[in-house]
Amino acid sequence: MSAGVAEGHQYALDVVEGKVVAGKWIKLACKRYLDDLERDDIYFDVDDAQHHLDFYPIFCTHVKGKLAGEPIELEPWQAFGLMNVFGWKTLDGLRRFRTAYEEVARKNAKSTKLSGVGLYMLGFDGEGGAEVYSAATTRDQAKIVFNDAKEMGRKSPQLRRTFGFHQSNIHDLQSASKFEPLSSDAGTLDGKNVHCGLIDEVHAHKTRDVWDVVETATGAREQPLMYAITTAGSNKLGICYELREYLCKILEGVFEDDTFFGLIFTLDEGDDWTDENCWIKANPNLGISKKWDDMRRLAKKAQEMPTARNNFLTKHLNIWVNAAVSWMNMDKWERAPKIAPDETLQQLPCFIGTDLANKLDIAAVVMVFPDSDGHYHILCKFYLPEEAIQIKARSIGNMYQAWADDGYITLTEGNIIDHEYIEDDIRAILSEHDVKAIGFDPWGSTQLSIKLAEDGAPMVEVPQTVKNLSESMKEVEALVHAGKLHHGDNPVLNWMASNVTAKEDKNENVFPNKEHKDNKIDGMVALFIAMNRILCFEDIDQDSVYDSSDVAC
C-alpha cells in the first residue's frame, strides 16, 4: 500500500523518537516539520499534500526492472519528503517551499520520484501554461528524468488521455503546458518562463550556470518549484555543495529560510562506513529498490581496493569527498592530536617549507617542529591578494574572506602577492625559532630566497619533482596514520589536505596533484617540502619510516 500523509507524519515521529534509524540531518528535518506544525504564520494543507501523494499509485508506474508496469507505491520516507514540498502553504494559500534539495545514495529511486514530480507539475498543479524542465549540463543527462517521465506517461491509460508525447516534449494542450529536457550544451537555457525546474545529479555541475538560469526564469510564476535530487560528489566548491551547506545551516537554525526544504540521507560523523547497521542512514530504500547483496559486494571491494573506496563512499553512502581519488584519509587527519604550546615549540628545531610560485593566488609558509618522541608539530601561514577574492566564484571568494576574517589568511594589497609580507614573516620566524632549513621551489621565489640567503638564512632549493616529494608525502601519510602529526586544525590546511590526489607509478612513487584548479594544495606542498628537509637533516635524533638514503637531498 502506498504511503500517504499519515504514514509520512508517523515517519517523522519515529525518526525523532529513534524508532527509525536515521542520520543527523534527517532527524533535524523531521524535527523542523513537527515544530512547524505549531506555527500560526504557515499551515500544512493535508488535502493538497495527499493529492500529490495519490498521484503516484494512481497515475505513475515503474518503467524499469522487475516492477516495470506496476504502480509506484511510495515508502514513508518518500511520502514525508513530498508531502512537505506540496503540503506546506503560506497564509495566502501559495506553496511555502520554492526550492527542494534532496541528497541520497544511488538506487534509492531518485529519478523515479523526480519524474513523477515533473508530470504532476505539468498537468495537475493548476498552473496555466506551465513550463517544466528537466535541466542539466548535457542533453543526455537532462533526458534521463524526462525519458522516465515520458515512459511513465505512455504506460498510464489516464496520462495517455491527458498528455501528448513527442521525442523531446510532453504537453497538455488543455492548459497549454509543456515538459522538456533542457541543457546548456544545446544553447537553450535563456528565454524560459519556468514553473518547475528539475535538476538530477546536481553534484555533476561544474558551474552554477544551469541552476542560476533556471532559477532566475521562475520569477514570473506565483509558486514555482526548483527540485534538485543528487548523490554526494567530490566538488565542494560547486553549486551542489553550496546548496547542501545552506540547507545544513537552515536545519541547524543558523539561517532562517521558509522557502527552502531539504533532506540529506548520509552517515553521521564517527560512523564506521563498514558497519552494515549504518548503511540505512544513506539508503532509506535499502532492501526495497536497493539490494543488500549489492551493498555487501561493493563494500567488500571498497575495503580491499582503495581506488574503489571513494566511489563507494560517495555513490552508495552519500559521503562527500573532495577529490575523485583522494590521497589523505581525512578521518585520521581530523583526529590529529593537539599541537604543542608556543613555549614548547620555541625549544624545538624548526624546518620551513614554502610554496610561493603563483603570485595571483594563495602562497603558503609551513613550519614543522619535530620533537624527540617522533611527533611533528605544524604551524601555517597563508597569503592571498585581496583583489583575488573579488574575482573568484562566489563560494570560493566567500570561503577565502571568512578565513581572512578569522586570521587564517593574510590579505596583501593589490592583485598579486606582495612577497615583502612573506619575507617579513620569515625573518620574524628566524628570530624566534631555531630554524635549521628553509626549503623553497626556485620557480617564482628566487628573488626572495636570494635576499634571505644573503642575510644568513638557511635556504635550500627543493624543486617540486617526484624525486623530492614522493618520500615526503609517504612520511606525512605514515605520521597521520600513527597519530604523530599535530597540525593544529587549521581550516585552510584541512581543506588543502582533502584536495590532494595521488597516483602511484610503477616504482611506487607518488606526487601531489589536485582534481581541478580551484582545489588548492599549496599548504600541503609546502609541508612536503619542509618534510623533505627533515628527512635530509642528519642531526634529528629520531627514527623516520624512511631511511634518508631513499630521499633526494
Side-chain angles (χ1 to χ4, degrees):
M1 178 179 177
S2 186
V5 170
E7 288 77 14
H9 179 80
Q10 189 62 47
Y11 173 82
L13 291 173
D14 290 345
V15 166
V16 171
E17 294 172 4
K19 296 177 181 178
V20 169
V21 177
K24 168 186 175 180
W25 302 115
I26 298 303
K27 291 177 182 177
L28 289 175
C30 290
K31 185 177 185 302
R32 181 190 189 192
Y33 159 77
L34 294 171
D35 289 345
D36 285 352
L37 291 174
E38 304 300 319
R39 291 171 53 177
D40 56 11
D41 57 333
I42 54 175
Y43 69 97
F44 186 77
D45 189 324
V46 175
D47 291 338
D48 272 9
Q50 190 63 52
H51 183 261
H52 181 78
L53 299 184
D54 288 343
F55 176 75
Y56 288 85
I58 295 174
F59 292 97
C60 299
T61 64
H62 292 279
V63 298
K64 297 175 183 176
K66 67 178 183 180
L67 293 178
E70 295 293 319
I72 292 177
E73 305 287 345
L74 296 175
E75 297 298 319
W77 70 273
Q78 295 170 315
F80 172 75
L82 291 168
M83 77 186 206
N84 269 271
V85 174
F86 289 93
W88 282 109
K89 302 290 182 65
T90 55
L91 296 183
D92 58 5
L94 297 177
R95 257 194 307 273
R96 164 194 180 183
F97 291 119
R98 304 302 172 87
T99 303
Y101 175 88
E102 186 172 321
E103 201 180 277
V104 66
R106 273 187 179 174
K107 302 300 181 183
N108 282 273
K110 298 191 308 297
S111 297
T112 298
K113 180 161 66 175
L114 210 56
S115 299
V117 171
L119 292 171
Y120 182 88
M121 294 294 282
L122 172 66
F124 294 80
D125 196 44
E127 182 77 7
E131 293 184 21
V132 179
Y133 296 102
S134 170
T137 55
T138 67
R139 193 162 183 81
D140 287 344
Q141 182 66 43
K143 291 188 77 170
I144 292 174
V145 169
F146 172 82
N147 285 340
D148 280 358
K150 187 166 65 172
E151 285 304 303
M152 279 185 193
R154 284 175 169 171
K155 292 179 182 296
S156 167
Q158 300 97 320
L159 294 184
R160 283 203 308 272
R161 291 193 294 269
T162 304
F163 299 147
F165 303 90
H166 295 303
Q167 182 175 357
S168 296
N169 170 274
I170 308 171
H171 55 271
D172 180 0
L173 293 178
Q174 186 172 356
S175 64
S177 300
K178 65 178 181 178
F179 180 1
E180 296 176 347
L182 187 67
S183 64
S184 58
D185 63 3
T188 57
L189 290 179
D190 294 324
K192 307 301 181 185
N193 183 6
V194 179
H195 177 54
C196 178
L198 308 172
I199 318 289
D200 191 19
E201 300 296 11
V202 68
H203 78 273
H205 290 223
K206 294 181 180 179
T207 71
R208 55 182 304 121
D209 294 348
V210 171
W211 180 272
D212 285 347
V213 170
V214 176
E215 185 177 45
T216 301
T218 64
R221 300 286 181 173
E222 275 195 324
Q223 50 176 10
L225 177 64
M226 290 283 288
Y227 206 133
I229 299 186
T230 187
T231 56
S234 60
N235 179 16
K236 289 189 176 181
L237 296 177
I239 177 62
C240 188
Y241 201 76
E242 182 179 319
L243 293 169
R244 182 191 203 273
E245 289 281 89
Y246 187 66
L247 171 60
C248 290
K249 287 180 171 58
I250 292 172
L251 294 176
E252 289 178 317
V254 177
F255 294 162
E256 290 186 12
D257 189 341
D258 261 354
T259 69
F260 199 109
F261 173 77
L263 299 170
I264 300 174
F265 293 91
T266 187
L267 272 60
D268 289 317
E269 184 177 350
D271 281 345
D272 179 0
W273 65 268
T274 66
D275 183 357
E276 293 187 2
N277 295 318
C278 298
W279 293 349
I280 194 73
K281 293 181 180 180
N283 297 275
N285 245 31
L286 190 57
I288 303 169
S289 63
K290 188 154 189 172
K291 306 306 179 188
W292 277 99
D293 287 348
D294 285 341
M295 278 292 289
R296 289 172 178 140
R297 175 179 57 83
L298 293 167
K300 187 174 186 297
K301 180 180 178 182
Q303 292 179 66
E304 295 174 352
M305 299 175 58
T307 53
R309 186 166 302 167
N310 275 1
N311 187 68
F312 182 74
L313 294 178
T314 55
K315 304 309 178 188
H316 299 283
L317 292 180
N318 202 44
I319 296 172
W320 280 81
V321 297
N322 252 53
V325 185
S326 183
W327 166 71
M328 177 56 67
N329 182 325
M330 291 306 296
D331 286 338
K332 291 186 179 295
W333 174 274
E334 291 166 1
R335 291 199 294 268
K338 292 183 178 180
I339 193 169
D342 289 343
E343 54 269 24
T344 300
L345 297 182
Q346 289 175 356
Q347 306 303 314
L348 299 176
C350 175
F351 294 79
I352 298 176
T354 65
D355 187 3
L356 315 178
N358 190 346
K359 289 189 175 183
L360 303 177
D361 221 319
I362 291 182
V365 174
V366 174
M367 296 156 275
V368 181
F369 302 84
D371 65 27
S372 58
D373 295 324
H375 288 243
Y376 294 73
H377 307 262
I378 299 172
L379 292 178
C380 309
K381 290 182 177 290
F382 296 98
Y383 308 83
L384 182 71
E386 60 183 2
E387 291 185 18
I389 291 180
Q390 306 304 321
I391 61 177
K392 295 290 183 184
R394 186 174 68 179
S395 56
I396 305 172
N398 290 347
M399 182 173 67
Y400 286 168
Q401 185 63 61
W403 285 335
D405 293 342
D406 291 338
Y408 292 108
I409 292 179
T410 297
L411 298 181
T412 66
E413 295 181 2
N415 59 7
I416 63 172
I417 286 288
D418 185 344
H419 280 182
E420 289 187 5
Y421 280 84
I422 301 173
E423 181 184 343
D424 290 343
D425 279 352
I426 291 177
R427 291 186 185 278
I429 296 167
L430 286 164
S431 68
E432 296 170 2
H433 297 284
D434 179 19
V435 178
K436 300 296 186 182
I438 302 176
F440 70 97
D441 185 336
W443 179 257
S445 56
T446 301
Q447 185 177 356
L448 173 62
S449 62
I450 290 174
K451 290 172 65 177
L452 289 169
E454 287 176 346
D455 292 336
M459 308 300 296
V460 183
E461 192 173 297
V462 185
Q464 293 182 27
T465 64
V466 171
K467 185 177 180 181
N468 284 323
L469 299 188
S470 179
E471 303 307 334
S472 298
M473 287 184 67
K474 293 178 181 179
E475 178 79 0
V476 168
E477 184 178 29
L479 291 169
V480 170
H481 279 257
K484 293 184 176 182
L485 194 77
H486 307 238
H487 55 70
D489 198 27
N490 183 298
V492 185
L493 190 66
N494 292 347
W495 174 60
M496 291 179 175
S498 71
N499 289 337
V500 177
T501 65
K503 182 179 181 181
E504 283 193 358
D505 63 19
K506 62 182 181 180
N507 297 316
E508 298 185 352
N509 293 312
V510 292
F511 187 79
N513 286 301
K514 54 191 176 185
E515 189 181 5
H516 57 79
K517 63 182 180 65
D518 288 327
N519 281 4
K520 304 303 178 184
I521 62 172
D522 311 77
M524 294 302 292
V525 171
L527 171 59
F528 302 146
I529 290 174
M531 188 59 67
N532 171 274
R533 292 298 84 212
I534 293 173
L535 294 175
C536 292
F537 199 76
E538 297 179 353
D539 294 338
I540 298 297
D541 184 22
Q542 55 183 276
D543 293 328
S544 164
V545 294
Y546 294 97
D547 189 270
S548 61
S549 62
D550 296 328
V551 183
C553 298

